[in-house]
mmCIF file of all heavy atoms in Angstrom:
data_model
loop_
_atom_site.group_PDB
_atom_site.id
_atom_site.type_symbol
_atom_site.label_atom_id
_atom_site.label_comp_id
_atom_site.label_asym_id
_atom_site.label_seq_id
_atom_site.Cartn_x
_atom_site.Cartn_y
_atom_site.Cartn_z
ATOM 1 N N ASN P 1 -15.479 0.318 -11.102
ATOM 2 C CA ASN P 1 -16.130 1.577 -11.158
ATOM 3 C C ASN P 1 -15.521 2.555 -10.208
ATOM 4 O O ASN P 1 -16.095 3.146 -9.305
ATOM 5 C CB ASN P 1 -17.599 1.314 -10.730
ATOM 6 C CG ASN P 1 -18.506 2.532 -10.877
ATOM 7 O OD1 ASN P 1 -18.163 3.467 -11.605
ATOM 8 N ND2 ASN P 1 -19.591 2.573 -10.172
ATOM 9 N N GLU P 2 -14.215 2.778 -10.432
ATOM 10 C CA GLU P 2 -13.414 3.728 -9.620
ATOM 11 C C GLU P 2 -12.150 4.057 -10.315
ATOM 12 O O GLU P 2 -11.674 3.360 -11.204
ATOM 13 C CB GLU P 2 -13.071 3.089 -8.256
ATOM 14 C CG GLU P 2 -12.208 1.841 -8.338
ATOM 15 C CD GLU P 2 -12.046 1.183 -6.977
ATOM 16 O OE1 GLU P 2 -12.972 1.131 -6.162
ATOM 17 O OE2 GLU P 2 -10.940 0.609 -6.835
ATOM 18 N N VAL P 3 -11.583 5.222 -9.911
ATOM 19 C CA VAL P 3 -10.252 5.585 -10.438
ATOM 20 C C VAL P 3 -9.350 5.952 -9.266
ATOM 21 O O VAL P 3 -9.718 6.794 -8.438
ATOM 22 C CB VAL P 3 -10.419 6.821 -11.419
ATOM 23 C CG1 VAL P 3 -9.045 7.398 -11.722
ATOM 24 C CG2 VAL P 3 -11.170 6.463 -12.693
ATOM 25 N N ALA P 4 -8.192 5.282 -9.158
ATOM 26 C CA ALA P 4 -7.204 5.629 -8.138
ATOM 27 C C ALA P 4 -6.324 6.693 -8.647
ATOM 28 O O ALA P 4 -5.932 6.747 -9.804
ATOM 29 C CB ALA P 4 -6.437 4.381 -7.753
ATOM 30 N N PHE P 5 -5.996 7.654 -7.721
ATOM 31 C CA PHE P 5 -5.056 8.746 -8.096
ATOM 32 C C PHE P 5 -4.366 9.165 -6.791
ATOM 33 O O PHE P 5 -4.741 8.862 -5.713
ATOM 34 C CB PHE P 5 -5.903 9.921 -8.744
ATOM 35 C CG PHE P 5 -6.841 10.567 -7.736
ATOM 36 C CD1 PHE P 5 -6.592 11.692 -7.094
ATOM 37 C CD2 PHE P 5 -8.195 10.003 -7.651
ATOM 38 C CE1 PHE P 5 -7.488 12.297 -6.201
ATOM 39 C CE2 PHE P 5 -9.047 10.560 -6.749
ATOM 40 C CZ PHE P 5 -8.727 11.755 -6.096
ATOM 41 N N SER P 6 -3.269 9.874 -7.100
ATOM 42 C CA SER P 6 -2.438 10.317 -5.966
ATOM 43 C C SER P 6 -2.701 11.831 -5.623
ATOM 44 O O SER P 6 -2.773 12.569 -6.651
ATOM 45 C CB SER P 6 -0.946 10.132 -6.315
ATOM 46 O OG SER P 6 -0.117 10.662 -5.243
ATOM 47 N N PHE P 7 -2.882 12.169 -4.432
ATOM 48 C CA PHE P 7 -3.122 13.563 -4.034
ATOM 49 C C PHE P 7 -2.471 13.797 -2.628
ATOM 50 O O PHE P 7 -2.779 13.062 -1.767
ATOM 51 C CB PHE P 7 -4.641 13.860 -3.992
ATOM 52 C CG PHE P 7 -4.952 15.244 -3.521
ATOM 53 C CD1 PHE P 7 -4.690 16.331 -4.400
ATOM 54 C CD2 PHE P 7 -5.495 15.553 -2.364
ATOM 55 C CE1 PHE P 7 -5.030 17.592 -3.981
ATOM 56 C CE2 PHE P 7 -5.825 16.766 -1.892
ATOM 57 C CZ PHE P 7 -5.582 17.832 -2.752
ATOM 58 N N ALA P 8 -1.616 14.755 -2.585
ATOM 59 C CA ALA P 8 -0.919 15.126 -1.320
ATOM 60 C C ALA P 8 -0.244 13.944 -0.739
ATOM 61 O O ALA P 8 -0.203 13.784 0.475
ATOM 62 C CB ALA P 8 -1.925 15.757 -0.369
ATOM 63 N N GLY P 9 0.296 13.064 -1.610
ATOM 64 C CA GLY P 9 1.086 11.943 -1.052
ATOM 65 C C GLY P 9 0.235 10.776 -0.675
ATOM 66 O O GLY P 9 0.694 9.805 -0.141
ATOM 67 N N GLN P 10 -1.111 10.907 -0.912
ATOM 68 C CA GLN P 10 -2.024 9.823 -0.462
ATOM 69 C C GLN P 10 -2.625 9.229 -1.695
ATOM 70 O O GLN P 10 -2.863 9.852 -2.800
ATOM 71 C CB GLN P 10 -3.157 10.444 0.367
ATOM 72 C CG GLN P 10 -2.716 11.218 1.584
ATOM 73 C CD GLN P 10 -1.885 10.331 2.493
ATOM 74 O OE1 GLN P 10 -2.350 9.253 2.963
ATOM 75 N NE2 GLN P 10 -0.627 10.767 2.824
ATOM 76 N N THR P 11 -3.012 7.920 -1.634
ATOM 77 C CA THR P 11 -3.716 7.268 -2.716
ATOM 78 C C THR P 11 -5.203 7.308 -2.396
ATOM 79 O O THR P 11 -5.680 6.760 -1.342
ATOM 80 C CB THR P 11 -3.305 5.797 -2.827
ATOM 81 O OG1 THR P 11 -1.851 5.701 -3.221
ATOM 82 C CG2 THR P 11 -4.097 5.084 -3.913
ATOM 83 N N LEU P 12 -5.921 7.976 -3.272
ATOM 84 C CA LEU P 12 -7.364 8.094 -3.125
ATOM 85 C C LEU P 12 -8.107 7.480 -4.291
ATOM 86 O O LEU P 12 -7.410 7.195 -5.354
ATOM 87 C CB LEU P 12 -7.761 9.609 -3.080
ATOM 88 C CG LEU P 12 -7.040 10.506 -1.999
ATOM 89 C CD1 LEU P 12 -7.460 11.895 -2.158
ATOM 90 C CD2 LEU P 12 -7.255 9.998 -0.616
ATOM 91 N N LYS P 13 -9.394 7.237 -4.132
ATOM 92 C CA LYS P 13 -10.179 6.656 -5.170
ATOM 93 C C LYS P 13 -11.411 7.440 -5.405
ATOM 94 O O LYS P 13 -12.128 7.736 -4.478
ATOM 95 C CB LYS P 13 -10.573 5.186 -4.833
ATOM 96 C CG LYS P 13 -9.411 4.257 -4.777
ATOM 97 C CD LYS P 13 -9.741 2.832 -4.547
ATOM 98 C CE LYS P 13 -8.554 1.880 -4.557
ATOM 99 N NZ LYS P 13 -8.985 0.474 -4.385
ATOM 100 N N ALA P 14 -11.618 7.858 -6.652
ATOM 101 C CA ALA P 14 -12.840 8.491 -7.100
ATOM 102 C C ALA P 14 -13.776 7.432 -7.501
ATOM 103 O O ALA P 14 -13.511 6.681 -8.487
ATOM 104 C CB ALA P 14 -12.555 9.459 -8.225
ATOM 105 N N LEU P 15 -14.888 7.317 -6.821
ATOM 106 C CA LEU P 15 -15.885 6.207 -7.153
ATOM 107 C C LEU P 15 -16.832 6.779 -8.237
ATOM 108 O O LEU P 15 -17.061 7.981 -8.310
ATOM 109 C CB LEU P 15 -16.666 5.843 -5.884
ATOM 110 C CG LEU P 15 -15.889 5.352 -4.715
ATOM 111 C CD1 LEU P 15 -16.830 4.811 -3.607
ATOM 112 C CD2 LEU P 15 -14.834 4.351 -5.086
ATOM 113 N N GLY P 16 -17.351 5.876 -9.032
ATOM 114 C CA GLY P 16 -18.218 6.321 -10.100
ATOM 115 C C GLY P 16 -19.517 7.030 -9.641
ATOM 116 O O GLY P 16 -20.143 7.812 -10.399
ATOM 117 N N SER P 17 -19.855 6.858 -8.352
ATOM 118 C CA SER P 17 -20.999 7.495 -7.810
ATOM 119 C C SER P 17 -20.812 8.947 -7.483
ATOM 120 O O SER P 17 -21.794 9.671 -7.296
ATOM 121 C CB SER P 17 -21.400 6.743 -6.491
ATOM 122 O OG SER P 17 -20.335 6.873 -5.550
ATOM 123 N N GLY P 18 -19.521 9.348 -7.426
ATOM 124 C CA GLY P 18 -19.183 10.736 -7.007
ATOM 125 C C GLY P 18 -18.656 10.833 -5.601
ATOM 126 O O GLY P 18 -18.316 11.812 -5.145
ATOM 127 N N ALA P 19 -18.588 9.603 -4.884
ATOM 128 C CA ALA P 19 -17.949 9.595 -3.541
ATOM 129 C C ALA P 19 -16.435 9.482 -3.693
ATOM 130 O O ALA P 19 -15.908 8.916 -4.658
ATOM 131 C CB ALA P 19 -18.528 8.454 -2.792
ATOM 132 N N LEU P 20 -15.788 9.945 -2.638
ATOM 133 C CA LEU P 20 -14.280 9.766 -2.521
ATOM 134 C C LEU P 20 -13.979 8.766 -1.418
ATOM 135 O O LEU P 20 -14.540 8.848 -0.357
ATOM 136 C CB LEU P 20 -13.696 11.172 -2.180
ATOM 137 C CG LEU P 20 -12.198 11.164 -1.997
ATOM 138 C CD1 LEU P 20 -11.476 11.072 -3.333
ATOM 139 C CD2 LEU P 20 -11.704 12.500 -1.307
ATOM 140 N N TRP P 21 -13.030 7.876 -1.803
ATOM 141 C CA TRP P 21 -12.708 6.799 -0.827
ATOM 142 C C TRP P 21 -11.195 6.918 -0.542
ATOM 143 O O TRP P 21 -10.385 6.994 -1.441
ATOM 144 C CB TRP P 21 -12.986 5.410 -1.398
ATOM 145 C CG TRP P 21 -12.535 4.282 -0.601
ATOM 146 C CD1 TRP P 21 -11.697 3.245 -1.033
ATOM 147 C CD2 TRP P 21 -12.809 3.887 0.747
ATOM 148 N NE1 TRP P 21 -11.534 2.258 -0.038
ATOM 149 C CE2 TRP P 21 -12.215 2.693 1.055
ATOM 150 C CE3 TRP P 21 -13.608 4.537 1.723
ATOM 151 C CZ2 TRP P 21 -12.335 2.123 2.328
ATOM 152 C CZ3 TRP P 21 -13.718 3.940 3.026
ATOM 153 C CH2 TRP P 21 -13.047 2.775 3.298
ATOM 154 N N TRP P 22 -10.820 7.021 0.747
ATOM 155 C CA TRP P 22 -9.425 7.111 1.188
ATOM 156 C C TRP P 22 -9.115 5.782 1.944
ATOM 157 O O TRP P 22 -9.369 5.654 3.088
ATOM 158 C CB TRP P 22 -9.335 8.348 2.118
ATOM 159 C CG TRP P 22 -7.922 8.641 2.518
ATOM 160 C CD1 TRP P 22 -6.710 8.026 2.222
ATOM 161 C CD2 TRP P 22 -7.502 9.791 3.417
ATOM 162 N NE1 TRP P 22 -5.655 8.639 2.799
ATOM 163 C CE2 TRP P 22 -6.090 9.714 3.550
ATOM 164 C CE3 TRP P 22 -8.232 10.772 4.076
ATOM 165 C CZ2 TRP P 22 -5.378 10.683 4.367
ATOM 166 C CZ3 TRP P 22 -7.563 11.648 4.833
ATOM 167 C CH2 TRP P 22 -6.210 11.604 4.938
ATOM 168 N N PRO P 23 -8.527 4.839 1.228
ATOM 169 C CA PRO P 23 -8.425 3.475 1.820
ATOM 170 C C PRO P 23 -7.652 3.452 3.114
ATOM 171 O O PRO P 23 -7.956 2.823 4.112
ATOM 172 C CB PRO P 23 -7.762 2.643 0.734
ATOM 173 C CG PRO P 23 -8.104 3.380 -0.491
ATOM 174 C CD PRO P 23 -8.167 4.833 -0.183
ATOM 175 N N ASP P 24 -6.447 4.215 3.151
ATOM 176 C CA ASP P 24 -5.618 4.103 4.356
ATOM 177 C C ASP P 24 -6.338 4.636 5.631
ATOM 178 O O ASP P 24 -5.991 4.197 6.733
ATOM 179 C CB ASP P 24 -4.337 4.908 4.107
ATOM 180 C CG ASP P 24 -3.402 4.234 3.148
ATOM 181 O OD1 ASP P 24 -3.660 3.100 2.783
ATOM 182 O OD2 ASP P 24 -2.352 4.858 2.745
ATOM 183 N N GLN P 25 -7.269 5.482 5.463
ATOM 184 C CA GLN P 25 -7.945 6.020 6.657
ATOM 185 C C GLN P 25 -9.349 5.433 6.772
ATOM 186 O O GLN P 25 -10.062 5.751 7.647
ATOM 187 C CB GLN P 25 -8.115 7.574 6.490
ATOM 188 C CG GLN P 25 -6.823 8.329 6.647
ATOM 189 C CD GLN P 25 -6.264 8.318 8.035
ATOM 190 O OE1 GLN P 25 -7.001 8.077 8.971
ATOM 191 N NE2 GLN P 25 -4.959 8.521 8.183
ATOM 192 N N GLN P 26 -9.675 4.479 5.879
ATOM 193 C CA GLN P 26 -11.038 3.906 5.840
ATOM 194 C C GLN P 26 -12.122 5.017 5.874
ATOM 195 O O GLN P 26 -13.061 4.960 6.707
ATOM 196 C CB GLN P 26 -11.235 2.941 6.991
ATOM 197 C CG GLN P 26 -10.382 1.642 6.883
ATOM 198 C CD GLN P 26 -10.728 0.674 7.907
ATOM 199 O OE1 GLN P 26 -10.350 0.846 9.118
ATOM 200 N NE2 GLN P 26 -11.433 -0.384 7.552
ATOM 201 N N LEU P 27 -11.891 6.030 5.017
ATOM 202 C CA LEU P 27 -12.695 7.225 5.062
ATOM 203 C C LEU P 27 -13.511 7.411 3.769
ATOM 204 O O LEU P 27 -12.905 7.376 2.669
ATOM 205 C CB LEU P 27 -11.840 8.464 5.310
ATOM 206 C CG LEU P 27 -12.566 9.792 5.606
ATOM 207 C CD1 LEU P 27 -11.680 10.689 6.439
ATOM 208 C CD2 LEU P 27 -12.789 10.504 4.231
ATOM 209 N N LEU P 28 -14.813 7.568 3.832
ATOM 210 C CA LEU P 28 -15.636 7.869 2.662
ATOM 211 C C LEU P 28 -16.142 9.324 2.816
ATOM 212 O O LEU P 28 -16.606 9.759 3.883
ATOM 213 C CB LEU P 28 -16.809 6.903 2.653
ATOM 214 C CG LEU P 28 -17.737 7.028 1.421
ATOM 215 C CD1 LEU P 28 -17.014 6.445 0.158
ATOM 216 C CD2 LEU P 28 -19.091 6.311 1.688
ATOM 217 N N CYS P 29 -15.997 10.057 1.659
ATOM 218 C CA CYS P 29 -16.436 11.465 1.717
ATOM 219 C C CYS P 29 -17.334 11.719 0.533
ATOM 220 O O CYS P 29 -17.113 11.281 -0.606
ATOM 221 C CB CYS P 29 -15.146 12.404 1.534
ATOM 222 S SG CYS P 29 -15.534 14.109 1.596
ATOM 223 N N VAL P 30 -18.489 12.390 0.872
ATOM 224 C CA VAL P 30 -19.445 12.797 -0.179
ATOM 225 C C VAL P 30 -19.735 14.290 0.014
ATOM 226 O O VAL P 30 -19.666 14.804 1.164
ATOM 227 C CB VAL P 30 -20.677 11.970 -0.155
ATOM 228 C CG1 VAL P 30 -20.466 10.538 -0.562
ATOM 229 C CG2 VAL P 30 -21.367 12.023 1.282
ATOM 230 N N SER P 31 -20.139 14.980 -1.078
ATOM 231 C CA SER P 31 -20.370 16.387 -0.967
ATOM 232 C C SER P 31 -21.707 16.777 -1.576
ATOM 233 O O SER P 31 -22.158 16.116 -2.505
ATOM 234 C CB SER P 31 -19.254 17.169 -1.702
ATOM 235 O OG SER P 31 -19.374 18.535 -1.412
ATOM 236 N N ASP P 32 -22.351 17.803 -1.032
ATOM 237 C CA ASP P 32 -23.514 18.405 -1.603
ATOM 238 C C ASP P 32 -24.659 17.333 -1.822
ATOM 239 O O ASP P 32 -25.112 17.173 -2.927
ATOM 240 C CB ASP P 32 -23.111 19.105 -2.879
ATOM 241 C CG ASP P 32 -22.206 20.268 -2.639
ATOM 242 O OD1 ASP P 32 -22.729 21.394 -2.381
ATOM 243 O OD2 ASP P 32 -20.920 20.091 -2.704
ATOM 244 N N LEU P 33 -25.069 16.748 -0.801
ATOM 245 C CA LEU P 33 -26.202 15.809 -0.848
ATOM 246 C C LEU P 33 -27.478 16.552 -1.141
ATOM 247 O O LEU P 33 -28.419 16.041 -1.835
ATOM 248 C CB LEU P 33 -26.424 15.060 0.442
ATOM 249 C CG LEU P 33 -25.158 14.220 0.968
ATOM 250 C CD1 LEU P 33 -25.535 13.605 2.320
ATOM 251 C CD2 LEU P 33 -24.843 13.155 0.008
ATOM 252 N N HIS P 34 -27.657 17.779 -0.623
ATOM 253 C CA HIS P 34 -28.834 18.612 -0.816
ATOM 254 C C HIS P 34 -30.110 17.820 -0.473
ATOM 255 O O HIS P 34 -31.118 17.858 -1.271
ATOM 256 C CB HIS P 34 -28.873 19.193 -2.214
ATOM 257 C CG HIS P 34 -27.904 20.357 -2.363
ATOM 258 N ND1 HIS P 34 -28.248 21.681 -2.058
ATOM 259 C CD2 HIS P 34 -26.593 20.417 -2.815
ATOM 260 C CE1 HIS P 34 -27.250 22.452 -2.263
ATOM 261 N NE2 HIS P 34 -26.265 21.729 -2.695
ATOM 262 N N LEU P 35 -30.126 17.068 0.607
ATOM 263 C CA LEU P 35 -31.283 16.360 1.013
ATOM 264 C C LEU P 35 -32.475 17.337 1.237
ATOM 265 O O LEU P 35 -32.263 18.428 1.747
ATOM 266 C CB LEU P 35 -30.982 15.537 2.277
ATOM 267 C CG LEU P 35 -29.892 14.508 2.202
ATOM 268 C CD1 LEU P 35 -29.576 13.963 3.554
ATOM 269 C CD2 LEU P 35 -30.270 13.333 1.246
#
């Protein structure tokens, strides 16, 4: 449930949930939660 792609020389993963995963930095990014 993810798609790996290259961006700015980095391998990133678009998760099916809408989150972004940057494995090399162990970084998860989400946008516009609108809690």
Side-chain angles (χ1 to χ4, degrees):
N1 187 21
E2 63 187 34
V3 170
F5 63 98
S6 180
F7 178 70
Q10 306 299 306
T11 297
L12 307 178
K13 294 184 178 182
L15 305 187
S17 63
L20 179 73
W21 175 236
W22 187 0
D24 285 353
Q25 293 289 336
Q26 293 185 287
L27 186 152
L28 185 73
C29 182
V30 291
S31 188
D32 295 273
L33 302 177
H34 284 274
L35 298 171

